[in-house]
Amino acid sequence: MTAKLPAPTYADVVAAAGRIDGHAHRTPSLTSRLLDDETGARFFFKCENFQRMGAFKFRGAFNALSCFDAAQRKAGVVAFSSGNHAQAIALSAQLLGMPATIVMPNDAPAIKVAATKGYGAEVVHYDRYTEDREAIGKRLAQERGLTLIPPYDHPHVIAGQGTAAMELIEQCGPLDALFVCLGGGGLLSGSALAARALAPDCKIFGVEPEAGNDGQRSFREGRIVHIDTPRTIADGAQTQHLGDYTFDIIRRDVDDIHTASDAELVEAMRFFAERMKMIVEPTGCLAFAAARRLAPQWAGKRIGVIVSGGNVDLKRFCELVG
Ligand SMILES: *Cc1c(COP(=O)(O)O)cnc(C)c1O
């Protein structure tokens, strides 16, 4: 086992940006005049639904795998994920020429399972309501000598995810507020490292599903709160608790945690499809769903929103918005 890595800093986000340069897309930051007219605020959307494999997770995965030494590369990587982290690790491993084993729930969206296998990874299934994916991942790592890369609680993953907010601020200038989806907190903590350094006055907010507000409770109670797997359409944010690294950064650098209901997520999916002509998965709508509700407090201000991903079966998308 490797020693515990130090907590990531903004310098690690900058280093990650160098490693992913030329491999990850520099995704567009889009605006909507109609929305700005409606709300009186100015919205800037960082569109990670257009990232490689369809979500920001490619950033953290590629950064983490780029840090492997020769022996780690040869043996390969193992990851557990409800979907996007799996695809991100599988694609990154393929690009870097190493084997990947992915532990996925047996009810993971078909599109995500197929994509993971399509990138050449071996998929091992488990039951997300009765089995512990972390234990399965750790056992595989030990048995096969693989390096486990967790979906969020890892310094190289956090640093990689932070590059999305870094690019957004580079693209659109300083922000007054930044809204970020929250599952286990990799994206939020990385974003906070970038935003604190680049836009010191920017308020930073996490947004998680109403059905699973463990992050909000953890933030307010000052300890990591564990919950049962929440039932929500936001399948990328069905996490049961924050991580040690992510919680420390979130409690230090984040201003507050908000929630969004499934109904608000569906409204946001409709908004993105109708007004901005883009398909965003339910989890990818979390940040906007809360930002839209809170926009009256931000009249005349510049609000950054990270749209985290776009991987949703078309049939499922139609059922939800129909
Ligand atoms: C993983 C994921 C999230 C949550 O990210 P964390 O780093 O776990 O907080 C949000 N949106 C999408 C699309 C994701 O794939």
Side-chain angles (χ1 to χ4, degrees):
M1 276 306 286
T2 46
K4 192 171 185 290
L5 292 161
T9 65
Y10 175 61
D12 297 305
V13 180
V14 175
R19 289 189 200 101
I20 68 170
D21 186 32
H23 300 282
H25 294 313
R26 200 176 163 84
T27 53
S29 113
L30 302 182
T31 57
S32 163
R33 184 169 303 180
L34 193 79
L35 176 69
D36 290 355
D37 287 347
E38 265 173 29
T39 60
R42 286 184 69 193
F43 278 88
F44 299 89
F45 294 100
K46 182 60 171 168
C47 295
E48 288 296 296
N49 51 313
F50 298 133
Q51 186 50 265
R52 290 192 78 168
M53 50 62 57
F56 72 91
K57 288 224 174 56
F58 181 72
R59 296 172 181 272
F62 193 88
N63 185 50
L65 267 51
S66 299
C67 296
F68 278 19
D69 65 25
Q72 287 176 304
R73 280 180 195 238
K74 188 154 183 294
V77 59
V78 58
F80 48 85
S81 168
S82 61
N84 284 334
H85 177 63
Q87 287 173 71
I89 290 286
L91 174 58
S92 300
Q94 187 181 54
L95 292 172
L96 292 164
M98 66 176 91
T101 305
I102 309 292
V103 183
M104 290 183 109
N106 40 26
D107 62 347
I111 188 176
K112 296 185 177 181
V113 179
T116 305
K117 287 187 177 162
Y119 294 130
E122 180 191 341
V123 174
V124 176
H125 286 289
Y126 77 104
D127 179 349
R128 77 160 96 197
Y129 297 103
T130 61
E131 290 180 290
D132 178 0
R133 64 180 188 173
E134 295 195 32
I136 296 171
K138 280 178 187 151
R139 197 191 63 226
L140 283 168
Q142 265 167 10
E143 282 173 7
R144 304 186 190 179
L146 312 176
T147 301
L148 177 68
I149 296 295
Y152 51 88
D153 205 30
H154 188 290
H156 300 156
V157 172
I158 293 168
Q161 317 307 32
T163 60
M166 181 181 171
E167 284 175 21
L168 174 64
I169 295 168
E170 284 169 4
Q171 287 167 325
C172 69
L175 297 167
D176 297 303
L178 176 64
F179 287 81
V180 183
C181 315
L182 172 58
L187 183 62
L188 177 59
S189 56
S191 301
L193 293 176
R196 274 286 157 265
L198 295 171
D201 298 329
C202 177
K203 297 282 186 213
I204 302 163
F205 301 113
V207 184
E208 64 186 346
E210 205 171 79
N213 70 334
D214 61 291
Q216 187 179 56
R217 288 174 55 195
S218 302
F219 185 78
R220 293 180 183 172
E221 293 175 29
R223 66 185 178 96
I224 299 176
V225 173
H226 290 242
I227 59 168
D228 291 337
T229 300
R231 298 198 184 245
T232 163
I233 60 170
D235 57 83
Q238 284 182 306
T239 37
Q240 294 171 269
H241 56 86
L242 300 177
D244 295 328
Y245 289 105
T246 60
F247 178 60
D248 282 349
I249 298 168
I250 289 169
R251 72 198 299 206
R252 183 190 70 205
D253 288 340
V254 169
D255 291 282
D256 204 359
I257 313 278
H258 299 290
T259 61
S261 67
D262 280 3
E264 287 174 316
L265 295 181
V266 169
E267 268 313 304
M269 288 170 78
R270 285 204 188 100
F271 168 84
F272 284 129
E274 285 181 352
R275 304 285 173 78
M276 298 188 71
K277 319 302 171 200
M278 56 189 197
I279 293 185
V280 181
E281 63 183 279
T283 317
C285 293
L286 279 164
F288 176 56
R292 187 185 206 181
R293 187 179 69 231
L294 298 167
Q297 298 171 23
W298 295 95
K301 304 287 190 198
R302 300 161 58 82
I303 303 181
V305 170
I306 301 199
V307 179
S308 56
N311 291 327
V312 51
D313 280 302
L314 200 51
K315 191 165 159 281
R316 172 89 176 128
F317 180 87
C318 295
E319 283 163 8
L320 286 170
V321 302

